[in-house]
Amino acid sequence: MDPAVPRATLKAMGLCTLLVLLVAAVTAAVAVLLWRSEALEKLRGCRERAANESRALELCVAQLERERERLQSATREREREEDELRRELGRAREDGEKLSSSLQFCRQQEAMLGANVTALRDEVRALRREQAELSRRSTALQEELARGTERALGLQQRLEEAAEQRRALRARGERCEQRQRELEATLRDRAAELDALQRRSGPRTARRRCPPSRKS
């Protein structure tokens, strides 16, 4: 047998093996490039979804801020109403005290006139007329005092209702602040997830570039 034949055969087998290796390397490189393209597309989709969700959360936070400002404005208006009601209640109490003092004075006058009836028989009729007038004044004062008392009760009830509304507004404001804190925490979590995806995509991109360097 010619000695060149085995050498040619070995050379042909070596060339075939090298060709197979080159084909395998090219196939692997193409597969890696396709996988990288698909991964980048998925990452782009994740970033877009994260950006959309971030914009939606920002809009929700802005709406909550406007709602909180509106509630704070309503609370300040309620506080002004409460101050006005307190002033009215104070004036009503002062009026009641004045009426009570006037009524007490009238009763003292009536008691003094009653004590002097026996000594002032000649002035009985005049004193009786004066007593009747004082009685009418006392009745009028008592009626006015009753109206003032009813007004004070009405003002007290309005003050209690205003306090209840103020407590409800404060509770609603606290719920809005709690919701805002939850939304901010969600935003931070989404930002952390996006950073984690970006950090993971960095090493993967470096590993995908290795096969082409081996081919060269």
Side-chain angles (χ1 to χ4, degrees):
M1 179 181 287
D2 188 1
V5 174
R7 288 195 299 271
T9 303
L10 291 175
K11 186 176 182 180
M13 291 177 65
L15 290 173
C16 290
T17 303
L18 181 60
L19 182 60
V20 170
L21 291 176
L22 288 174
V23 171
V26 170
T27 303
V30 171
V32 169
L33 289 175
L34 291 175
W35 179 80
R36 177 187 176 187
S37 177
E38 184 180 357
L40 289 175
E41 187 66 25
K42 290 182 179 179
L43 179 60
R44 190 179 298 107
C46 290
R47 287 178 177 176
E48 289 178 357
R49 287 194 298 271
N52 292 331
E53 292 178 357
S54 177
R55 285 193 295 271
L57 289 175
E58 288 176 357
L59 291 175
C60 187
V61 169
Q63 184 178 2
L64 290 175
E65 286 291 340
R66 290 192 296 270
E67 182 67 16
R68 185 178 68 175
E69 291 177 357
R70 188 183 66 80
L71 291 175
Q72 289 177 351
S73 177
T75 301
R76 289 191 294 269
E77 183 65 24
R78 293 295 182 184
E79 289 176 352
R80 287 194 294 270
E81 292 179 357
E82 289 178 4
D83 293 337
E84 182 63 25
L85 289 174
R86 289 193 186 96
R87 287 192 292 269
E88 291 181 2
L89 181 60
R91 290 192 294 269
R93 288 177 178 174
E94 291 178 357
D95 294 339
E97 291 176 356
K98 291 178 181 179
L99 292 174
S100 178
S101 299
S102 299
L103 180 60
Q104 185 66 27
F105 175 75
C106 291
R107 288 176 179 174
Q108 291 176 357
Q109 290 292 326
E110 183 179 357
M112 191 185 339
L113 290 173
N116 293 330
V117 169
T118 54
L120 300 173
R121 293 183 179 274
D122 296 337
E123 298 179 6
V124 168
R125 294 180 180 176
L127 289 175
R128 286 179 179 176
R129 287 193 298 270
E130 186 177 355
Q131 185 178 4
E133 181 64 21
L134 288 174
S135 296
R136 286 192 296 272
R137 288 178 61 187
S138 176
T139 302
L141 289 172
Q142 287 177 354
E143 292 175 355
E144 188 174 356
L145 178 61
R147 288 193 298 271
T149 303
E150 290 177 358
R151 184 181 179 188
L153 291 175
L155 291 175
Q156 182 66 31
Q157 184 177 2
R158 288 176 61 187
L159 181 61
E160 292 175 356
E161 291 175 355
E164 183 66 25
Q165 292 177 358
R166 181 183 179 185
R167 288 192 294 270
L169 289 173
R170 286 181 177 175
R172 186 174 178 185
E174 291 174 357
R175 289 195 298 270
C176 288
E177 290 176 355
Q178 180 65 25
R179 186 176 177 187
Q180 181 180 359
R181 288 193 293 269
E182 292 175 356
L183 289 174
E184 290 174 351
T186 303
L187 282 174
R188 289 193 295 270
D189 292 340
R190 292 299 175 85
E193 291 176 1
L194 183 59
D195 291 338
L197 287 174
Q198 291 176 350
R199 287 194 296 272
R200 287 199 297 270
S201 64
R204 289 178 182 175
T205 305
R207 288 197 297 270
R208 293 172 201 141
R209 293 175 181 174
C210 291
S213 64
R214 286 198 298 268
K215 182 183 71 172
S216 61

